[in-house]
Amino acid sequence: MLHSKIFATAGLALALSAGIAAAPGIALAQGTLRIGMTASDIPLTTGQPDQGGEGQRFTGYTLYDSLINWDLTSADKPSDLVPGLATSWAVDATDKNKWTFKIREGVKFHDGSTFDAEAAVWNFEKLLNQQAPQFDPRQSAQGRTRIPAVASYRAVDKYTLEITTKSPDATLPYQLAWIMHSSPAQWEKVGKSWENFAKTPSGTGPWKLTNFVPRERAEMVPFAEYWDKTRVPKLEKLILIPLPEASARTAALRSGQVDWIEAPSPDAIPSLKSAGFSIVVNAYPHNWTWHLSRVEGSPWNDIRIRKAANLAVDRDGIKELLSGLAIPAQGFFPPGHQWFGEPKFKLKHDIAEARKLMTEAGYSASKPLTTKILIAPSGSGQMQPLPMNEAVQQGLAEAWIKVDFEVVDWNTLINIWRAGAKHETSRGATGMNYTYFIQDPFTGFIRHLQGNLAPPAGTNWGFYNDPDMDQLFDQVRNTFDKDGQTAVLKKIHEKYVDDALFLMVTHDVNPRAMSAKVKGFVQAQNWFQNFSSITMAP
């Protein structure tokens, strides 16, 4: 595990150099934590956040809960699932399509109404039933593809929920950990309007939203009646500020406008350390890839070209570019992961071998392959996408793969990803730089490559279709014991690597820079984090 903290006296040398003035109403009193996010806007506040994993981190697991939550209390081991709004769950012994969830009693929404099995059904309806009055296209776009296994749901009684899956699926608990539950009573109160709800949302989470200014800030205070007393926040207030440019985030931290920034510029880290700021890192389930199109006519349909591209990347050079804040990829999952297996194709830097493969594919220095890749300038998990993509571009050029980039906003890239490589929004690109949450079997593997999860049914952006892979995915779903499931997942990862199904570059270590005043933060090995344990020193 990578973990370092460096404390000294924080300097405030570069006041206002971030190019933003202190936002009106931002409290500077002890007990207030101000965070500079990489997102360009406040993530959606209605329940299912946008802005990728960062959205779920800041307006998902703060304001809301899932039936099943992630344990965010430990820095020393990978996170696992824990009871949330459901105290227990089980698949039926005789019908593997039927699951029963016992709903936690006594849970209140921020507006004082009660969470129960009917409220859970109401929340599934807002995502999956277009005829339901509460159906919300924006939330559905974020949540529907997260739960492809769900066929139906019903309240058996006030505190018992039954979910039926389309076919046996042992990954259902992981899928449900993405689904946040909003208050039906609050939606009614604000005129059955999700737009109004976004301004005064009500969840069951440990934080309540008290002020919301799009593209400027969101302010939260503790929910004292939160059901899990270990997660009642210790801070007086949590403030989120969108700062998509790394240099602006760094300057805002130096000037004292924020106390914490996500993804500091690697080249700024030495000076931040010397100025007394803390740099916190930890391994977490993440990869930084190019997702390759497999539609008709894509050059990436040729395994020789896919392997050549992977051999052309100087991963150690990219790690150096990032001041060591990366784990060079040896596969889709990081080395040492329990699902890594023993792939035969090695992701080394070998230009000679890459050129040999390109020659076999019909290309040369005088006849390079030319293609276009979509990238974003910032965003959740994207690390430092512009310099990193330039480094990859240079490496591929040495292997006679000439790449042109089209740069789009991160949220726009997410929408393109959901629409699929065949959609006009992909603009003729044959790949996109997209970072992935690889924390569970569904989000780590299945959603990317299952044949029947191509858009609009799912997020198999590249329209990959391989019956052998689909068969492995079916085995995962039908294997309900952990050891047996792990054995199948190893085979899947071996196929990911041996078939070079992605351009696999690096894994992030989730760096954050913060004032030495920030105390009590435990950086979980997870995309999401617990802000409830934090206090601010005077």
Side-chain angles (χ1 to χ4, degrees):
M1 182 190 73
L2 299 171
H3 194 77
S4 62
K5 291 188 178 181
I6 298 172
F7 299 100
T9 303
L12 303 176
L14 298 179
L16 300 181
S17 61
I20 58 168
I26 291 183
L28 300 178
Q30 178 183 345
T32 295
L33 173 64
R34 301 157 299 165
I35 296 179
M37 304 185 300
T38 70
S40 59
D41 197 1
I42 299 298
L44 196 62
T45 59
T46 45
Q48 290 300 134
D50 57 5
Q51 305 284 352
E54 187 172 41
Q56 195 86 341
R57 182 185 310 140
F58 286 119
T59 63
Y61 274 102
T62 48
L63 302 174
Y64 298 93
D65 286 301
S66 301
L67 291 173
I68 302 170
N69 287 344
W70 285 99
D71 181 0
L72 304 176
T73 61
S74 174
D76 301 323
K77 60 183 179 182
S79 296
D80 206 349
L81 298 177
V82 293
L85 295 175
T87 58
S88 65
W89 54 93
V91 67
D92 190 278
T94 59
D95 182 355
K96 298 301 184 185
N97 291 340
K98 186 183 295 184
W99 293 71
T100 300
F101 296 79
K102 290 299 181 182
I103 301 301
R104 188 180 299 277
E105 298 185 26
V107 174
K108 299 291 185 181
F109 287 104
H110 300 153
D111 59 85
S113 61
T114 299
F115 178 80
D116 55 21
E118 290 288 356
V121 168
W122 187 93
N123 275 276
F124 283 109
E125 293 278 275
K126 80 177 180 183
L127 303 178
L128 300 177
N129 183 3
Q130 295 186 33
Q131 306 308 313
Q134 71 270 29
F135 178 78
D136 181 11
R138 290 189 70 186
Q139 290 189 75
S140 179
Q142 310 303 324
R144 175 175 53 84
T145 59
R146 301 289 189 187
I147 47 173
V150 175
S152 63
Y153 32 82
R154 69 184 185 97
V156 177
D157 57 43
K158 187 170 184 179
Y159 293 109
T160 307
L161 173 71
E162 181 182 279
I163 294 179
T164 302
T165 57
K166 297 169 185 173
S167 58
D169 196 334
T171 73
L172 178 66
Y174 292 107
Q175 295 179 34
L176 295 178
W178 282 96
I179 304 307
M180 303 284 115
H181 291 260
S182 316
S183 167
Q186 181 71 356
W187 182 77
E188 294 273 354
K189 181 179 177 181
V190 298
K192 301 182 179 181
S193 163
W194 285 113
E195 183 178 353
N196 292 340
F197 190 98
K199 300 171 187 175
T200 56
S202 176
T204 64
W207 298 88
K208 297 189 298 183
L209 189 73
T210 55
N211 195 7
F212 172 57
V213 182
R215 295 193 177 275
E216 185 177 321
R217 72 187 184 278
E219 300 185 7
M220 304 178 189
V221 299
F223 179 39
E225 292 78 33
Y226 185 58
W227 58 268
D228 183 352
K229 298 309 176 187
T230 68
R231 286 190 67 208
V232 174
K234 297 179 180 179
L235 289 166
E236 297 169 16
K237 187 180 290 187
L238 176 65
I239 300 177
L240 308 176
I241 302 174
L243 290 171
E245 296 297 326
S247 59
R249 289 195 299 277
T250 301
L253 181 64
R254 290 183 185 276
S255 67
Q257 296 175 48
V258 297
D259 311 292
W260 163 319
I261 60 173
E262 301 283 283
S265 299
D267 58 4
I269 285 175
S271 63
L272 287 172
K273 287 181 178 179
S274 65
F277 294 99
S278 169
I279 307 299
V280 183
V281 298
N282 201 350
Y284 81 127
H286 165 280
N287 69 21
W288 195 95
T289 69
W290 283 7
H291 194 147
L292 306 175
S293 170
R294 301 300 296 275
V295 303
E296 186 177 356
S298 171
W300 306 113
N301 287 324
D302 190 327
I303 190 172
R304 296 168 298 187
I305 296 173
R306 298 198 304 272
K307 285 188 171 182
N310 273 285
L311 292 169
V313 176
D314 181 3
R315 296 170 180 81
D316 290 333
I318 290 174
K319 179 179 179 180
E320 185 176 350
L321 172 72
L322 297 170
S323 299
L325 298 178
I327 300 170
Q330 295 180 28
F332 199 69
F333 275 69
H337 193 278
Q338 65 266 31
W339 301 340
F340 195 87
E342 298 180 1
K344 296 179 177 62
F345 179 53
K346 305 302 179 185
L347 300 185
K348 57 185 177 179
H349 184 215
D350 190 337
I351 294 297
E353 180 63 21
R355 288 178 175 177
K356 179 182 177 183
L357 288 165
M358 291 299 291
T359 299
E360 293 175 7
Y363 296 94
S364 65
S366 61
K367 184 191 171 184
L369 167 64
T370 300
T371 194
K372 181 169 75 172
I373 303 294
L374 296 164
I375 67 173
S378 63
S380 173
Q382 293 296 100
M383 303 176 72
Q384 306 299 325
L386 297 181
M388 291 171 71
N389 275 301
E390 288 173 1
V392 174
Q393 181 187 46
Q394 292 167 9
L396 267 59
E398 291 187 57
W400 309 329
I401 301 174
K402 184 179 182 297
V403 172
D404 294 318
F405 291 133
E406 181 160 347
V407 183
V408 298
D409 173 77
W410 171 233
N411 230 27
T412 300
L413 190 68
I414 294 175
N415 291 333
I416 295 170
W417 172 66
R418 290 200 178 96
K422 293 181 180 179
H423 196 270
E424 61 183 10
T425 55
S426 285
R427 310 164 194 204
T430 68
M432 63 164 62
N433 169 216
Y434 207 97
T435 55
Y436 282 120
F437 174 109
I438 52 174
Q439 201 152 286
D440 64 76
F442 178 74
T443 57
F445 285 131
I446 297 171
R447 63 174 176 152
H448 307 311
L449 298 182
Q450 183 164 305
N452 64 3
L453 289 182
T459 53
N460 175 0
W461 175 80
F463 286 81
Y464 172 88
N465 192 356
D466 183 337
D468 291 340
M469 184 68 90
D470 284 348
Q471 187 176 39
L472 288 168
F473 290 156
D474 285 342
Q475 287 181 36
V476 170
R477 289 192 174 95
N478 284 279
T479 305
F480 288 83
D481 70 281
K482 195 166 187 177
D483 290 343
Q485 192 177 81
T486 294
V488 181
L489 290 165
K490 287 180 178 179
K491 293 179 182 178
I492 291 171
H493 186 258
E494 289 166 359
K495 187 170 176 61
Y496 260 69
V497 180
D498 290 339
D499 290 355
L501 298 178
F502 288 73
L503 183 62
M504 295 165 273
V505 180
T506 193
H507 308 281
D508 197 2
V509 293
N510 210 11
R512 296 180 163 93
M514 57 190 71
S515 164
K517 292 182 179 181
V518 179
K519 304 293 184 184
F521 175 57
V522 176
Q523 179 146 308
Q525 293 185 32
N526 196 296
W527 276 68
F528 316 133
Q529 298 296 328
N530 175 28
F531 303 99
S532 297
S533 63
I534 298 170
T535 59
M536 295 292 291

